[in-house]
Amino acid sequence: MSVRSWKVLKHHKQANLNIDFNAFRQNPYLPSISVVAPAYNEGVTIVENIRSLLSLGYNNLTLIIVNDGSKDDTLEKAIKFYDLEKVDYYFEYRLPCNEIKAIYKSKNKAFKKLIVVDKANGGKADALNAGINVSYSDYFACVDVDCLLEENAFEHLIYPVINSHKEVVAVGGIVWLNNDAEVYHGHMVKLQIPNKFLPRIQLIEYFRAFLLGRTAWSSINGLLLISGAFGIFHRERVIEVGGYNKKTVGEDMELVIRLHKLMLNNKIPYEVAYVPTPLCWTEAPVTKTILSRQRNRWARGTAECLMLHRDMIGRKKYGIIGMLSFPYWLIAEWFGPFIEAFGLIFTLVMILLGYINIYFFVAMLGLVFSMSLFFSILAIQAQETFFNRYSEPKEIGRLFITAVLEPFIYHPLTVYWAIKGNYDLFFKKTHSWGEMTRTGYAPATAPKKP
């Protein structure tokens, strides 16, 4: 997978050299896109987040902010800053969602692309369904409201749609972390390696997942997951499969699986595409408490999705998805933490009983550690080779040191959180999404002109 992803990244970089995305965005015939951004208790960052999304230059774009019953001042801040008023707006409940209380648009023509939906709380999947109901575009984009997008993000995402001979039902892009970045009016002025250990180690995880993992899977049309933070979907196909599933916390993965199943069952040539370019920036959890909730949710979502669609596992009719993607997720992603935990306990017991050859044990431990470190270094090197977003060598040095510490300090925690997530799912019947507390971005002054 790593070798394949490296080849794809190299080809993608060379191909992009010949595309003028600034000119591309002015094409009046590009498919229309609605950006659906659920917002729950985002009062700290809502104004900057909306400003960032409004600055996107895509020619045929609508921004739909869905306030999902926030308990803080998210809606009030948006109304005040963007001069919003209630409007009569026709829509149909084509997908199930909780009551939509009101729809707001701005009195200021500068914000004519902005629609704010106020609805009863129902969770992220419910909020996304509400946004799709309000949308009339060809494609919709699922975007976390706390994310910052590159100015030409949607030009990149729509390119596979118009460049493919198959029907493109979904497109994902790279999501990276911007903790400790300086932001001015919704744009990053300065990107840097996170100062705190937890966000920094998560950055390496994101490098591995988005550069080495998803890039390779997408190249064989075997991608099962498009990040809930950023991706576009064919609106009518999503409505056809019933929208987002409100009964799982892995709603993003579950939707992609249903789209695969729909197209494969009907033998329709299709593609779930992926753009290996950093287009979206989000804030990673900075405390163990918040991070544990996130990983608990990811573990529960993975288990729920694989159980809901277990009929696809090992089925030839589902091609790469059934014969390769599903078995990988089953063994490596779902069962992996349990295998690791059992192996660790078994090894400790064997040491206590004196059945372990200490020299062989140390050699194997060194081999496993070397492999783990190798893939982290490869992911960091891929970032440097193809994107080079971090300019100072000392920052890259900090990443290398973090990669060395990861297997001993951080990885055991992720294994524990994954196991606890499964325990909560099967024994506590936990189905909550969990709250994320935002710290906001570092203040910045206006960028200096060259």
Side-chain angles (χ1 to χ4, degrees):
M1 290 176 67
S2 296
V3 171
R4 188 175 184 88
S5 64
W6 198 277
K7 292 180 179 179
V8 173
L9 287 167
K10 183 178 180 180
H11 172 76
H12 179 77
K13 183 177 181 179
Q14 292 173 341
N16 274 8
L17 293 176
N18 301 318
I19 303 173
D20 184 353
F21 284 101
N22 290 325
F24 181 64
R25 73 169 55 171
Q26 301 304 322
N27 189 331
Y29 301 105
L30 291 177
S32 56
I33 299 175
S34 290
V35 179
V36 180
Y40 178 73
N41 291 351
E42 303 284 355
V44 173
T45 58
I46 188 66
V47 171
E48 285 294 313
N49 295 148
I50 293 178
R51 190 201 305 272
S52 174
L53 293 171
L54 283 172
S55 68
L56 296 170
Y58 191 80
N59 193 47
N60 200 355
L61 191 74
T62 302
L63 173 58
I64 302 174
I65 304 295
V66 184
N67 178 51
D68 189 36
S70 296
K71 298 176 184 178
D72 65 357
D73 57 353
T74 297
L75 181 62
E76 289 74 15
K77 281 188 174 180
I79 290 173
K80 181 178 179 180
F81 192 88
Y82 292 100
D83 198 15
L84 302 176
E85 63 177 352
K86 288 185 181 180
V87 295
D88 293 326
Y89 187 96
Y90 177 78
F91 68 93
E92 297 179 10
Y93 284 93
R94 298 184 66 186
L95 295 175
C97 69
N98 287 356
E99 178 192 3
I100 294 178
K101 299 177 181 179
I103 295 180
Y104 297 84
K105 296 197 75 173
S106 178
K107 301 175 187 177
N108 189 335
K109 291 183 178 180
F111 307 131
K112 63 181 181 180
K113 293 182 178 181
L114 175 63
I115 297 173
V116 175
V117 178
D118 184 32
K119 62 177 288 294
N121 179 261
K124 184 178 180 181
D126 193 83
L128 288 168
N129 284 343
I132 297 169
N133 287 332
V134 171
S135 166
Y136 288 95
S137 301
D138 301 315
Y139 284 77
F140 73 89
C142 168
V143 176
D144 282 353
V145 75
D146 63 292
C147 293
L148 297 178
L149 301 184
E150 295 288 309
E151 187 178 359
N152 57 3
F154 289 109
E155 286 81 358
H156 281 273
L157 281 189
I158 208 65
Y159 187 76
V161 174
I162 64 175
N163 199 43
S164 177
H165 298 295
K166 301 176 182 179
E167 181 177 339
V168 179
V169 294
V171 186
I174 288 180
V175 178
W176 276 357
L177 305 183
N178 61 356
N179 293 63
D180 297 315
E182 294 182 3
V183 176
Y184 179 77
H185 285 187
H187 295 279
M188 274 196 299
V189 176
K190 182 181 180 182
L191 178 68
Q192 61 184 18
I193 300 294
N195 291 320
K196 294 185 178 180
F197 179 76
L198 278 181
R200 191 162 64 248
I201 212 162
Q202 289 173 77
L203 181 62
I204 298 174
E205 280 188 305
Y206 276 59
F207 286 170
R208 288 197 303 258
F210 286 96
L211 291 179
L212 302 186
R214 298 187 191 185
T215 300
W217 282 115
S218 66
S219 69
I220 57 174
N221 204 26
L223 191 62
L224 286 187
L225 175 62
I226 288 178
S227 174
F230 183 56
I232 65 171
F233 298 86
H234 192 292
R235 180 172 168 271
E236 285 300 322
R237 289 296 186 190
V238 169
I239 292 175
E240 187 176 351
V241 298
Y244 285 91
N245 186 347
K246 296 189 288 183
K247 296 181 180 180
T248 175
V249 293
E251 71 285 328
D252 43 8
M253 180 178 179
E254 201 276 332
L255 176 61
V256 175
I257 293 173
R258 269 187 289 130
L259 288 171
H260 276 296
K261 184 180 284 189
L262 171 71
M263 306 305 281
L264 289 167
N265 281 337
N266 291 281
K267 298 181 179 180
I268 303 172
Y270 79 103
E271 183 179 356
V272 173
Y274 180 73
V275 179
T277 300
L279 300 172
C280 177
W281 306 86
T282 189
E283 181 184 350
V286 297
T287 68
K288 284 199 297 184
T289 300
I290 302 300
L291 181 57
S292 66
R293 292 176 190 168
Q294 182 195 66
R295 299 312 165 94
N296 184 299
R297 183 177 72 249
W298 287 4
R300 287 185 282 123
T302 297
E304 287 173 340
C305 290
L306 293 176
M307 288 190 296
L308 281 170
H309 299 283
R310 56 187 177 274
D311 59 311
M312 297 180 73
I313 300 175
R315 296 282 298 277
K316 288 185 178 180
K317 66 178 289 187
Y318 294 117
I320 291 290
I321 299 298
M323 301 302 293
L324 191 59
S325 297
F326 255 92
Y328 170 83
W329 274 85
L330 181 69
I331 297 170
E333 299 294 338
W334 188 9
F335 294 164
F338 295 97
I339 295 170
E340 286 192 56
F342 174 78
L344 179 60
I345 293 171
F346 179 82
T347 301
L348 291 174
V349 171
M350 291 297 100
I351 289 174
L352 292 175
L353 295 177
Y355 291 134
I356 293 291
N357 182 315
I358 191 65
Y359 300 105
F360 185 74
F361 171 75
V362 171
M364 288 299 295
L365 185 64
L367 176 63
V368 172
F369 171 73
S370 298
M371 289 180 64
S372 171
L373 185 60
F374 169 76
F375 287 112
S376 293
I377 292 175
L378 189 64
I380 295 170
Q381 184 60 45
Q383 189 284 141
E384 282 295 290
T385 301
F386 299 108
F387 304 112
N388 193 26
R389 292 300 182 100
Y390 304 95
S391 55
E392 296 192 20
K394 67 177 182 179
E395 291 192 321
I396 305 303
R398 292 170 67 197
L399 281 180
F400 281 120
I401 294 172
T402 304
V404 171
L405 297 175
E406 179 186 6
F408 304 103
I409 298 176
Y410 177 71
H411 185 70
L413 290 174
T414 64
V415 171
Y416 168 73
W417 292 329
I419 292 174
K420 188 176 185 303
N422 280 272
Y423 175 83
D424 290 346
L425 174 65
F426 291 105
F427 294 99
K428 291 188 176 181
K429 307 299 181 183
T430 302
H431 295 285
S432 64
W433 208 83
E435 294 188 14
M436 267 286 289
T437 303
R438 306 293 178 190
T439 59
Y441 303 115
T445 56
K448 296 179 180 179
K449 295 182 180 180

